[in-house]
Amino acid sequence: MIGRAHHIGIAVRDLEGTLARYRALGLVPTSVEDVPPESVRVAFLDAGGVRLELLEPLRPEGAVHRFLERRGEGLHHLAFEVEDIVAELARLGEEGFQLVDEGPRPGAHGRSVAFVHPKSLHGVLLELVQEARP
Ligand code: CO
């Protein structure tokens, strides 16, 4: 089953410049990390218990770069926590959701993540997140 909301993903062209704007709002990053498999640099901010994930492409390839070319900066995805990402992907596939990822891939902070196509959810790209197990 889908669990708690985990974060809101926002695509940006210039992470440093964007972080300066968020600092002006009073929001500071809790982490900044490159995720090479996704070709992105990722900053997380804690907005009163709601995590924001700012995504900047590292190279002119990858999904976030394509999104920026097509749609420009802005809201990119919603992420929800799951206990068992493999089981949840299988369940959503059976429910008729179009899966971007057939299996989990590595995300920031050692998490496993997988995406569900926005065609399946009325225009919203959905990310499933399974936290790293100690
Ligand atoms: Co995300």
Side-chain angles (χ1 to χ4, degrees), residues 7-9 44 53 55 77 79 115 127 129:
H7 65 264
I8 298 167
F44 279 95
E53 179 189 46
L55 303 141
H77 63 270
F115 287 88
E127 179 182 6
V129 179

